[in-house]
Amino acid sequence: MSTNIPAGLIKLGSIGVLKMSEPPVNGLGFALRAAIVALLDRAVADPEIEAIVLSGGEQIFSAGADVREFGTARTSSAPTLPDVIAAIEASAKPVVAAIAGNCLGGGLELAMGCHFRLARRDASLGLPEVKLGLLPGAGGTQRLPRLIGVERALNMIVSGQPVNALAVAGTALLDEVVESDVVDAAVAFARDVVVGKRAFRRARDIAIVDPLAEPFLQFARTNVGAASSPFPAPLQCVEAVANAVGKPFDEGLRLEREIFATLMASPESRALRHIFSAERAASKLPDVPADTPLRDVRRVGVIGAGTMGGGIAMAFADAGMPVVLLETKQEALDRGVGTIRRNYEASMKKGRLTQAQLDERIARIVPTLEYAALADADLVIEAVFEEMSVKHDVFRRLDAIAKPGAILASNTSALDLNRIASFVQRPQDVIGLHFFSPANVMRLLEVVRGEKTAPDVLATCMALAKRIRKVAVVAGVCDGFIGNRMVVRYGSAAGGLLMQGASPQQIDGALQRFGLAMGPFRMADMAGLDIGWAARKRHAAEVPGSQPRVAADTLCEAGRFGQKTGAGWYRYEAGKRDPIPDPAVDAIVEQFRRESGITPRKIGEQEIVERCVYALVNEGARILEDGIAARASDIDVVYLSGYGFPRHRGGPMLYADTVGLANVVRALKRFAAEPGAEAWWQPAPLLVKLADEGRTFN
Ligand code: NAD
């Protein structure tokens, strides 16, 4: 059968089997919806057909809406999903859903419109719409409570988590759970229905009689509202289910559509849908074809067992891959392996890992002092000290030992990857894999493409990222790649605010209320102020006069390195991480202002947010201009998954679109025009151009 026929109808005696076949997931796009309705009409009109089985085959039922249709007019072209479901539910001939694999979102709503449902035991049923800031908009909130009860329906709809067929066996949602061959079973079931062995029932006609429904809904309102702020969708899911309990079906359905439309227009849902498509888009490389043959990566080598090397080794071991971990000295190796073990033990204590899993993962990491042990690695990642001479030495040795075709990666944060590639005879095999700390936890991976990096090396690393459950974004070579290059501007903006009169707690507070997990000063205290201090000293030595003194230098000179020394921009009580404002810091800052001839002024919360976030946006625009990132949404992915940017804002670039680029440009021009303003406040030409043309980044 040709793949562009989205559904078919075959007759098995008196049963018509309507099979959806829209690869890859039977997404309920316009073509499939129209085909279902047309085939349903044909089956209903066919005098030989007495009952209908609706199936997606033995692999999948339907994963719901067609994401490729999102944001286009086709989503709302008739027949809409509610139209399709209404047609099925109203059918005079019984319709039996045969569910295998994923039956999610609109897929489950479609199944609930059928009069009977059979599922294979391993089928997965769920309504994940809330994860996109929405609610099920095709009757899901009205039919599910009627079929499985208020409490279970609410849990599924509010969490968005799918359940296994076995978990809902015995409810009216599933008439039967079968071991295999669900389509055969559904056909046999349909025959029973025809001969009158089964009562024909529509979900919409079921009355909810549950004395505990009201108290449970009240409990849910209180808890869900607080836990899901600032996202409106979870609480709206509760309200929609409450309508199912308290209002007639058609009224509940109408209100569900209304709430759906309101949520669809909310900035929070827009942000979540943006993230969803941005993460998918990030894995597509404009100039690397999707069918590029990949290199086989089974064995991994990691050089350096420090903070990053240890975490990277864990990330691969967690994904079931064997890792050789190399250090130069036994002591460093023992220390690194000890840290890995302690980290795994901590996970075990939290119940996230069993002893057997811990043993298995540790056993996958083989420590060594010998380069020869890396000879058969398919990928080697270097995470040694951030010094070009050390990288040079490591890559020279690696070149001598690594097998042909092995991918040679560097985890460098700031060094020139093209120079690193020049240390080997095979620069096409060199790539940057920039993990974030802790590398086994943080989802972000910047995949740094050197001038000579081969397309298949790039494609292989993007695929590998998925295996170790990272979201990967491709970055070009520049100082700081995408994330760190932007965060430097953000830090400078925060530093400027500090000098002009704001306190660390005021700046952190404003950005935390904006939604960031942690403000810049708390973040700096956590990361350690000494790292930036060392970098500034290094830069100053390389380019004299390039590093004007900053207040953080004075803090570091006083031994205030952040949390690890009990004091930084805040002070910390022993063993605690709560930042306590410290008058000693105020004194240092005030002295600094005096010495710089600055008269402090009062700074409002909005200005703090504007300066810090627009600094990110402006640098993001330059990163796009320079071709360091392929799309604005890639930048958002970096910021959301690596830097704690609030999800409900969708990333700095989407936020700028939301605010209006013209407004961003106007503010940047104002900041740039202030006396003594640094040159980078000048709005990036791309930003100005887009604003002038009334366009957006996304
Ligand atoms: P670290 O000091 O914790 O670890 C470096 C390790 O490399 C040490 O254990 C050291 O013994 C070992 N080492 C040094 N020279 C070696 C050599 N020639 N052969 C083998 N091992 C050697 O440093 P880190 O924080 O893990 O950083 C490592 C790399 O990762 C750096 O390039 C850094 O810029 C980068 N990075 C760090 C972070 C971070 O947050 N720490 C984040 C991203 C990238």
Side-chain angles (χ1 to χ4, degrees), residues 22-243:
E22 179 81 306
V25 296
N26 285 333
L28 290 158
F30 170 75
L32 179 54
R33 296 195 305 265
I36 294 173
V37 172
L39 294 174
L40 179 75
D41 287 348
R42 200 200 295 168
V44 169
D46 187 331
E48 283 175 16
I49 293 179
E50 293 185 80
I52 298 149
V53 166
L54 176 64
S55 106
E58 290 293 341
Q59 299 307 320
I60 185 160
F61 186 75
S62 164
D66 187 345
V67 290
R68 293 166 297 191
E69 222 173 55
F70 270 16
T72 71
R74 293 213 122 196
T75 347
S76 51
S77 302
T80 62
L81 188 56
D83 296 339
V84 178
I85 294 169
I88 291 175
E89 198 169 48
S91 155
K93 293 183 181 175
V95 183
V96 181
I99 303 168
N102 279 337
C103 177
L104 303 175
L108 180 56
E109 293 180 293
L110 182 67
M112 290 192 291
C114 298
H115 310 116
F116 302 95
R117 284 156 298 275
L118 274 71
R120 219 172 57 192
R121 58 178 292 153
D122 55 354
S124 179
L125 296 90
L127 293 172
E129 288 81 352
V130 71
K131 293 184 177 173
L132 295 181
L134 301 169
L135 50 55
T141 65
Q142 304 304 298
R143 292 190 181 88
L144 193 61
R146 288 175 160 82
L147 292 167
I148 61 169
V150 173
E151 184 171 348
R152 294 174 95 173
L154 207 49
N155 287 340
M156 277 176 74
I157 296 170
V158 170
S159 73
Q161 289 301 349
V163 298
N164 182 266
L166 283 177
V168 282
T171 67
L173 181 60
L174 295 181
D175 295 278
E176 266 179 28
V177 175
V178 301
E179 290 295 318
S180 59
D181 302 329
V182 70
V183 181
D184 289 352
V187 170
F189 187 98
R191 292 208 172 98
D192 284 353
V193 173
V194 170
V195 297
K197 281 202 203 151
R198 301 270 179 176
F200 185 119
R201 191 169 61 169
R202 296 185 167 92
R204 56 175 290 139
D205 298 332
I206 299 174
I208 298 177
V209 188
D210 180 357
L212 293 180
E214 214 26 74
F216 184 73
L217 283 164
Q218 208 41 50
F219 171 81
R221 280 187 185 103
T222 318
N223 287 291
V224 170
S228 58
S229 166
F231 292 99
L235 192 58
Q236 290 304 313
C237 289
V238 179
E239 292 313 328
V241 172
N243 294 337

Side-chain angles (χ1 to χ4, degrees), residues 303-309 326-328 332 371 382-386 390-391 393-394 411-413 434-435 437:
I303 306 182
T307 312
M308 295 309 291
L326 180 138
E327 268 282 349
T328 44
Y371 267 81
E382 158 285 303
V384 301
F385 298 139
E386 186 78 330
V390 187
K391 308 279 188 200
D393 178 55
V394 166
N411 182 46
T412 181
S413 311
H434 186 220
F435 288 80
S437 182

Side-chain angles (χ1 to χ4, degrees), residues 347-394:
S347 300
M348 192 173 77
K349 283 202 189 99
K350 288 179 196 149
R352 292 194 199 129
L353 214 62
T354 63
Q355 180 72 49
Q357 284 170 321
L358 178 148
D359 294 341
E360 221 173 66
R361 292 184 195 192
I362 299 260
R364 283 187 198 126
I365 302 174
V366 178
T368 186
L369 296 174
E370 304 295 333
Y371 267 81
L374 299 175
D376 58 0
D378 305 300
L379 161 71
V380 182
I381 304 172
E382 158 285 303
V384 301
F385 298 139
E386 186 78 330
E387 268 171 49
M388 204 46 116
S389 58
V390 187
K391 308 279 188 200
H392 188 173
D393 178 55
V394 166

